[in-house]
Amino acid sequence: MAEPRIAADALPSDVEMEGTDLSLGNGLGNKISEGSSDAHDQTVNATENIEQTSPAQFKSDPDEKPPTSSSPQANADSVKMRPASKKKGTAAKKGPKRARASKSKASSKKDASSTGPAGDAHDASSDDETDNGPYCICRGPDDHRWMISCDVCEDWFHGECVNLDKDIGEKLVERFVCPNCTDGKRNYTKYKKTCSLTGCKNPARLYTKSLKDRSVFCCNDHCDAWWTSMINTLPTKAATEKAIEVLTQEDFVGLLISTSEQGGWKLGDKPFGNMEGLWSNGLPTREGVLSDEEQAFLKNSAAERLALGNEIVQYKKMMQLIDWANHRRQLAIEAGKFTKESCGYDWRLDTVSVRHQFGEWLETAEGQATFKAGKLDTPLDPELQGDPATRGMCEKKRCKPHNGWYKLLMGAVRILIKETATAAADKLNAEEVMRQAAEARFERRQHEKNTVEYLDG
């Protein structure tokens, strides 16, 4: 008996052939003889066997329109050959990024044993979860490996490609910046401080909202383990013959217990230099505390600090004058006398940042009238011509000599204030060190009770 052949019009119209080279000319496209019921039954059985043996190769297309003609040629044209799906990992044009629930990617495997419509639905869901990207520096897909997002460019990167372990990335990375966005200044990867216990890779409790819960350890057990290891470094009384001269484990534990009952650890008082009421306004209240050289040093240092304080006062007045000049320029612009491109530099700012010349200008009638009025008005010089609202100001547009005069002058004065304040603080610290040394020396002499007796020869 000749092998039965499947007619093209016997196949369902919505069946597509996907990922296979099977064509209608491979013994399945010739028409069977009419009236043969056995051949028709074998045709139906062959069709069912094909559907059961390779369910992934046949897939209904919802966009496929039903054929308008029932002829074999029209039905044959309706069966489409769909190309095989792209291999995972191939680069493709990057579309809009889909939102991810978390940085950690859980790998999912297809169930090869699933068949029938349920297997097709599972394969479709797996295809939907696949994202070809491109992502990362490798420009590959999201292949279900662990990935982390850059906080600058918001792109996703495989942990293996950026040499970042999953445990470290999830526990210790506070802010991740990819290699392309790292500049070493503002954008760089920040890590959390690890636990102080050797070998622990968990983050320390330094990032909690409550100050009481913060600790350099990740948990209380590791805190106890650290203290135990520190105590074990000390010798025991039984193991050393010099137990009286060295600190042993028993002595140290006794100190911990006694201090915990008194409110915890605290630093003891200094042996000398704790006399109350010995100083008043930086000078001793008792005789014999300072030597003549120390008194002269403190006196000169106090005078220099006073002079530095007066300099800072002058610098503050310079900043006021700069603000008043800028305010006068703004008023001229609002009145229509100037445009935004006009310079507006006032000639009375020439002495700014020069302390001695500015001090001399403050003593003039112009300077006294300016600070008495609390604003910069029209200059008192009768030789100046022009509108009173803009008299004494530079009227040039885009003036190069005075370009950015407000920011430049303000920046220069701030630097002078910072330098002067630093010099005054250094002198004050030197005075305090000398007072502490003199107080400790004076108190030690009081405890020693040393005296000198003169004998007449």
Side-chain angles (χ1 to χ4, degrees):
M1 177 182 286
E3 183 180 359
R5 301 181 180 271
I6 302 175
D9 55 356
L11 292 174
S13 61
D14 58 345
V15 173
E16 295 180 1
M17 304 181 68
E18 179 181 57
T20 180
D21 294 330
L22 185 63
S23 61
L24 298 178
N26 291 339
L28 300 176
N30 296 334
K31 187 175 181 182
I32 63 175
S33 59
E34 297 179 358
S36 178
S37 60
D38 296 336
H40 178 69
D41 295 337
Q42 294 179 2
T43 302
V44 174
N45 295 333
T47 305
E48 293 178 353
N49 292 333
I50 293 176
E51 293 180 353
Q52 292 180 0
T53 54
S54 60
Q57 301 298 329
F58 294 86
K59 195 173 184 180
S60 61
D61 193 353
D63 296 334
E64 180 68 19
K65 296 180 179 180
T68 56
S69 176
S70 60
S71 63
Q73 183 65 27
N75 292 334
D77 294 338
S78 64
V79 179
K80 293 186 177 181
M81 300 290 294
R82 294 187 60 182
S85 59
K86 278 190 176 183
K87 184 180 180 181
K88 295 182 180 179
T90 56
K93 292 185 179 180
K94 186 174 181 181
K97 188 186 300 183
R98 294 185 299 178
R100 291 173 173 79
S102 63
K103 296 182 180 179
S104 179
K105 311 294 180 190
S107 60
S108 60
K109 296 182 180 179
K110 296 182 179 180
D111 188 2
S113 62
S114 60
T115 57
D120 294 341
H122 179 73
D123 294 341
S125 63
S126 300
D127 293 339
D128 293 341
E129 293 178 358
T130 302
D131 191 352
N132 290 331
Y135 300 114
C136 189
I137 56 178
C138 66
R139 310 315 296 163
D142 175 11
D143 50 2
H144 306 289
R145 289 182 294 169
W146 181 79
M147 302 182 73
I148 188 170
S149 174
C150 176
D151 290 345
V152 178
C153 63
E154 297 183 355
D155 196 3
W156 290 81
F157 295 84
H158 302 109
E160 299 176 356
C161 296
V162 295
N163 195 21
L164 185 62
D165 186 68
K166 179 180 178 181
D167 294 337
I168 296 178
E170 292 180 348
K171 294 181 180 179
L172 299 179
V173 173
E174 183 177 2
R175 181 175 183 263
F176 175 74
V177 179
C178 67
N180 299 330
C181 299
T182 300
D183 55 10
K185 297 179 180 179
R186 297 183 58 185
N187 298 324
Y188 56 91
T189 301
K190 294 182 180 180
Y191 293 89
K192 297 179 180 179
K193 179 178 175 58
T194 57
C195 179
S196 296
L197 184 65
T198 304
C200 180
K201 300 299 182 182
N202 294 326
R205 293 177 297 176
L206 297 175
Y207 309 94
T208 59
K209 296 182 179 180
S210 177
L211 296 177
K212 296 181 179 180
D213 297 336
R214 293 184 180 180
S215 173
V216 294
F217 301 97
C218 63
C219 60
N220 295 332
D221 293 339
H222 284 191
C223 178
D224 296 338
W226 184 87
W227 275 107
T228 302
S229 63
M230 293 299 295
I231 294 174
N232 291 335
T233 58
L234 299 175
T236 61
K237 288 184 178 181
T240 178
E241 298 179 355
K242 300 180 180 179
I244 300 177
E245 300 178 3
V246 298
L247 181 65
T248 62
Q249 295 184 11
E250 292 80 3
D251 296 336
F252 187 66
V253 172
L255 291 174
L256 291 177
I257 295 174
S258 62
T259 53
S260 62
E261 296 175 355
Q262 299 176 3
W265 283 95
K266 64 179 181 179
L267 295 176
D269 296 332
K270 295 182 293 184
F272 300 105
N274 301 297
M275 300 181 65
E276 296 181 359
L278 186 61
W279 302 96
S280 177
N281 296 327
L283 297 176
T285 57
R286 301 173 64 177
E287 297 181 357
V289 178
L290 296 175
S291 62
D292 296 339
E293 293 81 4
E294 291 173 342
Q295 292 180 1
F297 174 80
L298 293 178
K299 184 177 180 181
N300 295 333
S301 180
E304 293 175 358
R305 285 193 295 106
L306 180 60
L308 293 175
N310 294 333
E311 290 183 15
I312 294 178
V313 172
Q314 285 191 358
Y315 295 145
K316 294 290 185 179
K317 290 184 178 181
M318 291 179 186
M319 297 179 68
Q320 288 182 347
L321 187 64
I322 297 172
D323 286 331
W324 292 341
N326 187 46
H327 181 66
R328 188 183 179 208
R329 175 180 176 273
Q330 296 295 332
L331 293 178
I333 294 175
E334 294 176 359
K337 307 293 182 180
F338 275 175
T339 62
K340 293 184 178 181
E341 298 178 353
S342 300
C343 176
Y345 178 82
D346 198 295
W347 65 270
R348 286 167 286 190
L349 300 177
D350 292 343
T351 58
V352 170
S353 72
V354 184
R355 184 172 58 85
H356 298 288
Q357 295 183 4
F358 185 77
E360 295 177 357
W361 181 81
L362 290 177
E363 300 297 331
T364 62
E366 185 79 32
Q368 293 179 359
T370 299
F371 281 90
K372 184 177 180 180
K375 60 181 180 178
L376 201 61
D377 289 331
T378 305
L380 301 179
D381 191 355
E383 297 181 358
L384 296 176
Q385 303 295 330
D387 194 327
T390 60
R391 188 179 302 171
M393 300 171 62
C394 179
E395 300 180 359
K396 295 181 180 180
K397 294 183 178 180
R398 299 178 181 177
C399 179
K400 292 184 178 180
H402 303 143
N403 186 22
W405 57 269
Y406 179 79
K407 292 183 179 179
L408 292 176
L409 292 177
M410 275 292 188
V413 174
R414 288 193 180 98
I415 293 176
L416 292 174
I417 293 176
K418 184 177 180 180
E419 293 177 351
T420 307
T422 303
D426 292 341
K427 291 185 178 297
L428 184 61
N429 292 335
E431 295 175 14
E432 186 64 24
V433 170
M434 179 169 287
R435 291 191 186 95
Q436 292 178 359
E439 182 179 352
R441 183 182 66 246
F442 179 76
E443 187 177 1
R444 186 177 66 251
R445 288 177 181 177
Q446 297 295 321
H447 286 283
E448 292 175 352
K449 298 180 180 180
N450 293 331
T451 58
V452 178
E453 183 179 356
Y454 292 93
L455 300 177
D456 296 336

